Amino acid sequence: MGVFSNVHRFREAGEAANVNNVARFGEPRRSLFTSTKVMTLHHRIEITDAEERVVYRAETKFPSLHDKTEIYDADGRHVAHMEKKLFTLHERHFITMDGGPSFEVSNELFHLVRDVTNLEGLGWQLQGNILGLNFELYDQNGEIIAVIAQKLLSLHDKYCIDLYRPEHEATVVAILVTLQHMIRDRENAAAASSSSSSSD
């Protein structure tokens, strides 16, 4: 299967579940959708359900050296805190769930076409396809938790999440928010590198 064969796995709210996901994992139990809003004082990500109601919000205040981000549910209750660890060889983000586990996500391998990232502290694994803009999240037993897909060429950084284990919904949302930050950082670094080399 080619790396571009699953680009269409992204879908908008109201559209049917992706045929590839259904064939491999069955119908998702719940689906969520995100759209990023960048404003002057903070970077906001809104996560909505299939009826386009906001169910989570993630906010990052600027300037924030550690990329500190807070995630809230629709009622304004705090769900999770995420921040980046600086001065490491590979970028690492730490996530602390309210009343739940703390774990770490590293983008050490996110320069490959197909890679695997372990979520230390959970025992879960994120398998990604950067060119296909698709990611699959598995638990410690290799069972599917969620499939995440990004919309190609979107101005608002859109994603959809097909959840197969809705009891892990808040944790999956925190992982997605972190993944968006990691991808944004990688894109900014690539743009800075390209700008630097073109000015030499």
Side-chain angles (χ1 to χ4, degrees):
M1 185 177 293
V3 293
F4 292 104
S5 59
N6 283 332
V7 169
H8 66 284
R9 285 170 79 173
F10 174 84
R11 64 190 176 96
E12 300 279 3
E15 296 179 351
N18 175 264
V19 291
N20 290 344
N21 292 353
V22 173
R24 288 184 62 192
F25 309 118
E27 288 283 346
R29 301 271 301 281
R30 177 168 161 84
S31 296
L32 300 174
F33 306 86
T34 79
S35 182
T36 302
K37 298 181 179 180
V38 180
M39 289 174 266
T40 355
L41 298 178
H42 57 258
H43 173 90
R44 175 181 290 177
I45 298 171
E46 289 188 342
I47 295 94
T48 58
D49 62 14
E51 282 72 47
E52 300 188 21
R53 295 175 298 220
V54 175
V55 287
Y56 296 95
R57 287 186 180 89
E59 294 188 1
T60 308
K61 292 183 179 178
F62 288 116
S64 174
L65 186 63
H66 291 272
D67 202 21
K68 291 182 179 180
T69 300
E70 309 301 334
I71 301 172
Y72 304 91
D73 68 12
D75 297 320
R77 288 187 294 260
H78 191 260
V79 171
H81 169 81
M82 182 271 287
E83 65 179 84
K84 177 168 61 177
K85 184 177 181 181
L86 299 179
F87 312 118
T88 60
L89 183 60
H90 302 285
E91 185 185 25
R92 295 179 182 275
H93 287 78
F94 294 93
I95 302 171
T96 303
M97 305 298 300
D98 277 23
S102 296
F103 57 97
E104 179 183 324
V105 184
S106 168
N107 70 348
E108 180 178 350
L109 301 178
F110 267 71
H111 57 283
L112 303 175
V113 171
R114 182 78 184 179
D115 55 75
V116 174
T117 296
N118 293 313
L119 303 175
E120 298 172 24
L122 286 179
W124 297 1
Q125 200 172 73
L126 186 68
Q127 298 184 10
N129 183 327
I130 298 301
L131 294 183
L133 303 173
N134 295 299
F135 306 89
E136 294 162 7
L137 184 62
Y138 295 91
D139 69 10
Q140 63 273 22
N141 300 314
E143 300 291 329
I144 190 71
I145 296 173
V147 177
I148 299 168
Q150 182 183 9
K151 184 176 183 180
L152 186 65
L153 303 176
S154 168
L155 293 177
H156 296 286
D157 205 14
K158 291 186 175 182
Y159 290 76
C160 69
I161 310 170
D162 281 337
L163 276 166
Y164 294 89
R165 304 273 292 282
E167 68 270 25
H168 296 308
E169 177 177 293
T171 306
V172 173
V173 166
I175 291 168
L176 171 60
V177 169
T178 304
L179 183 64
Q180 287 185 254
H181 279 251
M182 291 162 68
I183 290 174
R184 185 199 64 200
D185 288 347
R186 189 188 63 242
E187 290 172 346
N188 289 344
S193 173
S194 172
S195 172
S196 171
S197 60
S198 63
S199 63
D200 289 341

